[in-house]
Amino acid sequence: MAAPGNASMAAGMKTFGVGGAALLGNSLLGKTAISAASTKESAVVSKPEDITKEKLVSILSVLIQEQVELRLKVNELVNELATSGEEDFELRQIFEFVSPLLPSDDFAGRFGVKEGAAFARAEALAHGGDEQIMQLGEKLEMARGGIAVDGAEPPPGTVDDAKVAEMDAQKLYDIHVYMREQLKRLFILFHGLPKAERMQMPREAVEKTMEVLVAIQVQRKFGYRSEEVEKAIEAHEEIISTEERFQQINQQVAEYMQHLMMAAKPKVDRDQLIEMLKQQSPRS
């Protein structure tokens, strides 16, 4: 189950924008058909202008498929744990379950291009009006937000249409409130971990750990699988994206997640960040 608000925010995405680097960096799970794990550093493309559109399309397509597969695996993990009979799960325990689902974050090794360069190229093409790149960007953000894209429909038997139908706007609001309170609790627990330990926990794994923990509690309290909640959210998308009560909760959830990510291991260290900024800076 994606964090509240992701679905409505994803629908309006037209370019990669400020979040583009994060989107390209969040390559989670799945088979990487164009993986280049043995790529040598000298062969890695570091200039945005040297990345062909075809290469970029291939990369984005792989990232989208990975998100589709990750969503299916995470939802299945949530259901398995929620119905396991075990009373409670520790944050560290779920982190250990989730971490193996995440592939290497070696973007350059996998795709043969620098992540910052790929982001800069994608952003330039999108801002230039390239419809294909914009559509792929939208699909990637939708997949990350839990919205069904090509191949993302839940497996047969995982969604009870009657349960989806009984979730009206008020029920979804109650679920959103509960999710917010669970995330607040986890926020406190996570910050209670030793800083040295938190700094060794990759942000992507922390994000998915929180998602799984919250979804387990939602399924146990309300009786709905993640797939069913996601379907109901899609059905009431207009209300969720426009009503102030939902917007307030979504904003609070976003703030909790932002602080959680800041308290976890950065995706790049200082030297890597400087290099990425250099690649994205206009040449004089």
Side-chain angles (χ1 to χ4, degrees):
M1 182 188 305
N6 281 1
S8 57
M9 288 187 290
M13 179 183 176
K14 295 301 180 185
T15 64
F16 291 88
V18 175
L23 294 181
L24 292 176
N26 275 307
S27 48
L28 307 175
L29 194 67
K31 298 180 287 292
T32 55
I34 56 173
S35 175
S38 61
T39 301
K40 295 181 180 180
E41 185 66 23
S42 59
V44 172
V45 178
S46 59
K47 296 180 180 179
E49 59 269 26
D50 291 339
I51 302 174
T52 66
K53 177 183 172 180
E54 290 72 21
K55 178 70 171 180
L56 191 60
V57 167
S58 296
I59 292 173
L60 293 174
S61 298
V62 168
L63 298 184
I64 291 168
Q65 183 59 33
E66 288 177 341
Q67 290 297 317
V68 169
E69 295 179 9
L70 177 67
R71 175 63 50 198
L72 296 174
K73 287 184 177 290
V74 166
N75 284 345
E76 188 55 40
L77 174 64
V78 168
N79 185 61
E80 180 180 343
L81 297 178
T83 58
S84 66
E86 188 167 343
E87 289 191 7
D88 205 359
F89 294 97
E90 295 184 358
L91 191 153
R92 292 185 181 92
Q93 186 180 9
I94 300 301
F95 179 83
E96 293 301 321
F97 286 146
V98 168
S99 293
L101 300 181
L102 309 181
S104 168
D105 61 359
D106 182 10
F107 192 94
R110 297 178 63 213
F111 299 113
V113 302
K114 292 285 189 179
E115 181 179 351
F119 159 54
R121 178 63 169 155
E123 185 176 35
L125 288 172
H127 281 302
D130 190 301
E131 289 290 337
Q132 184 179 18
I133 296 300
M134 286 192 287
Q135 289 174 5
L136 287 171
E138 288 181 358
K139 280 189 175 183
L140 181 55
E141 184 68 356
M142 289 169 66
R144 294 190 71 239
I147 303 176
V149 296
D150 298 340
E153 288 296 327
T158 59
V159 174
D160 184 332
D161 291 334
K163 287 187 175 182
V164 174
E166 73 182 31
M167 279 185 273
D168 57 13
Q170 182 58 49
K171 176 65 72 173
L172 287 173
Y173 178 71
D174 294 340
I175 291 174
H176 275 63
V177 170
Y178 185 73
M179 291 170 70
R180 178 193 62 190
E181 295 309 309
Q182 290 300 306
L183 187 58
K184 180 180 179 180
R185 178 179 66 84
L186 294 170
F187 174 82
I188 295 172
L189 287 175
F190 186 68
H191 276 266
L193 297 177
K195 182 177 180 180
E197 181 178 357
R198 286 190 280 109
M199 287 294 107
Q200 293 301 313
M201 302 172 77
R203 292 180 177 180
E204 293 85 357
V206 170
E207 180 181 16
K208 288 301 171 187
T209 296
M210 299 305 170
E211 180 181 327
V212 169
L213 282 165
V214 170
I216 289 172
Q217 295 305 316
V218 168
Q219 184 166 340
R220 287 181 169 178
K221 181 174 178 62
F222 295 94
Y224 302 124
R225 287 183 59 132
S226 295
E227 298 93 335
E228 293 164 342
V229 175
E230 290 164 5
K231 282 286 187 182
I233 288 175
E234 289 177 25
H236 296 276
E237 172 62 23
E238 183 175 354
I239 293 175
I240 292 173
S241 63
T242 58
E243 284 195 4
E244 183 177 357
R245 58 176 178 166
F246 283 104
Q247 292 176 353
Q248 289 178 344
I249 288 182
N250 292 341
Q251 179 61 35
Q252 291 167 348
V253 167
E255 290 174 357
Y256 280 135
M257 290 305 299
Q258 181 180 13
H259 288 298
L260 277 168
M261 296 303 97
M262 292 173 62
K265 179 183 178 181
K267 182 169 180 59
V268 296
D269 60 28
R270 181 176 179 276
D271 292 339
Q272 291 174 313
L273 178 60
I274 291 174
E275 179 62 26
M276 287 174 63
L277 292 174
K278 285 180 179 178
Q279 293 172 5
Q280 295 177 31
S281 297
R283 299 181 184 278
S284 55

